[in-house]
Amino acid sequence: MTQKIAIQGIKGSFHHQVVEQYYDSTPELLECSTFDALARAVAEGECTQAVMALENSIAGSILPNYALMDQYGLVITGEHYLGIEHNLMALSGQTIEDIDEVHSHPMALLQCKKFFLDYPHIKLVESYDTAEEAFKISKNQTKACGAVAGIRASEIYGLEILSPSIQTIKNNVTRFVIVQSEPLKEPGNISKAAWKFVLDHKRGSLATALNVVSDCNLNLTKIQSLPVIETPGKYAFFVDVTFDNPEDYKKAKSLLQIMATAFKVLGEYPSGKS
């Protein structure tokens, strides 16, 4: 049976690039306009899995997506790191001097801000999606208009790259996670896990929890806090840990389940390569 994978954006987007690189087969795509629509599609069984961006090496964590995973009960089953390269593209035969406007996602434009300082005649226009702007230019044959998007967008929509890799910081990596509605029945060789826990609101509680992680030989790779909406003054901690020995991991998890007032496993999966 062909898998259906939800992505935020359309074909040619960075989420689509992850699908092409992560999956061995060619799954059917479910294009979602927002991350909320993506999470809802997974929870309601409209797709098998979804690809969701979770953090960027420049911009940091995408906090709302942590909340969406928790809200819809999504489980992480894998991860993939994608090097992000932004390219200026337009209809064939044009030059940068011909371009009056460039449309793209606000984050993409921000990451290419230094490049456009050399072209003050170009108006930067924020839009919903990188690949969709490439699609619109191709469909409407819009001249004097460019898009900032990934190379797959230029290939799929037949646009010419006027300037490649225009992002200010060249080492720009986004971490994507693969999510689904149920945990893997046989997770296999797991080496990474994502947790959410809430602790008593008292001095030293977080330090004690982190000592458990350290004492059990786990490596804490990420910690992020979000307010507990129902209980003002309390915070939920979203934590990523890696480990070599599954028994060490099981010990740490069992201890934290006792210590925390609430504990939830958001995923147990093989660590991806960054």
Side-chain angles (χ1 to χ4, degrees):
M1 184 176 68
T2 303
Q3 285 185 303
K4 180 182 284 189
I5 308 301
I7 60 171
Q8 192 276 317
I10 65 172
K11 287 183 179 179
S13 66
F14 292 114
H15 280 76
H16 179 218
Q17 283 186 233
V18 172
V19 171
E20 292 186 317
Q21 294 179 18
Y22 184 83
Y23 293 94
D24 293 331
S25 59
T26 305
E28 181 183 350
L29 290 180
L30 176 63
E31 299 172 349
C32 301
S33 58
T34 65
F35 283 116
D36 188 276
L38 177 146
R40 193 165 56 250
V42 180
E44 294 178 356
E46 295 179 38
C47 57
T48 314
Q49 295 179 324
V51 172
M52 176 184 280
L54 210 52
E55 63 185 82
N56 177 262
S57 58
I58 299 173
S61 297
I62 306 174
L63 290 178
N65 286 358
Y66 281 90
L68 283 173
M69 285 194 301
D70 187 32
Q71 176 187 346
Y72 287 99
L74 306 186
V75 180
I76 302 172
T77 61
E79 65 179 2
H80 186 78
Y81 291 83
L82 182 70
I84 304 297
E85 286 205 348
H86 294 301
N87 307 276
L88 176 59
M89 57 192 70
L91 293 176
S92 181
Q94 297 187 101
T95 66
I96 295 181
E97 287 68 29
D98 297 325
I99 304 301
D100 297 325
E101 290 186 358
V102 169
H103 297 235
S104 194
H105 189 279
M107 187 57 67
L109 295 177
L110 181 64
Q111 292 176 1
C112 302
K113 186 176 179 181
K114 186 176 179 181
F115 172 85
F116 287 108
L117 291 177
D118 293 332
Y119 303 95
H121 71 282
I122 294 179
K123 179 183 178 181
L124 301 180
V125 181
E126 295 183 356
S127 62
Y128 140 78
D129 184 55
T130 54
E132 186 175 18
E133 292 306 316
F135 166 72
K136 287 179 180 178
I137 290 172
S138 176
K139 179 182 178 182
N140 301 323
Q141 290 294 291
T142 309
K143 294 184 177 180
C145 186
V148 172
I151 190 169
R152 285 294 286 132
S154 68
E155 294 169 349
I156 291 171
Y157 303 115
L159 299 184
E160 182 177 332
I161 293 181
L162 305 184
S163 189
S165 193
I166 63 173
Q167 68 275 6
T168 303
I169 301 175
K170 299 306 178 185
N171 186 22
N172 181 4
V173 177
T174 294
R175 175 181 171 235
F176 295 80
V177 291
I178 313 303
V179 297
Q180 60 187 47
S181 58
E182 297 289 341
L184 292 173
K185 293 182 180 179
E186 297 180 9
N189 187 27
I190 63 170
S191 56
K192 191 168 185 176
W195 297 334
K196 174 201 171 186
F197 57 79
V198 180
L199 301 169
D200 283 328
H201 190 51
K202 61 183 181 181
R203 183 184 302 171
S205 60
L206 178 58
T208 303
L210 296 183
N211 281 337
V212 168
V213 171
S214 176
D215 292 344
C216 291
N217 301 312
L218 273 59
N219 181 33
L220 180 71
T221 60
K222 187 176 186 63
I223 182 168
Q224 193 74 55
S225 63
L226 284 176
V228 178
I229 298 174
E230 301 85 359
T231 313
K234 270 199 170 186
Y235 289 84
F237 296 95
F238 292 82
V239 170
D240 285 349
V241 293
T242 59
F243 47 90
D244 296 322
N245 187 341
E247 294 305 314
D248 288 340
Y249 168 71
K250 291 176 183 177
K251 181 180 178 181
K253 182 170 70 169
S254 64
L255 289 171
L256 281 170
Q257 285 173 327
I258 296 170
M259 295 170 56
T261 58
F263 185 91
K264 184 178 184 181
V265 176
L266 298 176
E268 297 170 338
Y269 53 96
S271 179
K273 294 180 179 180
S274 58

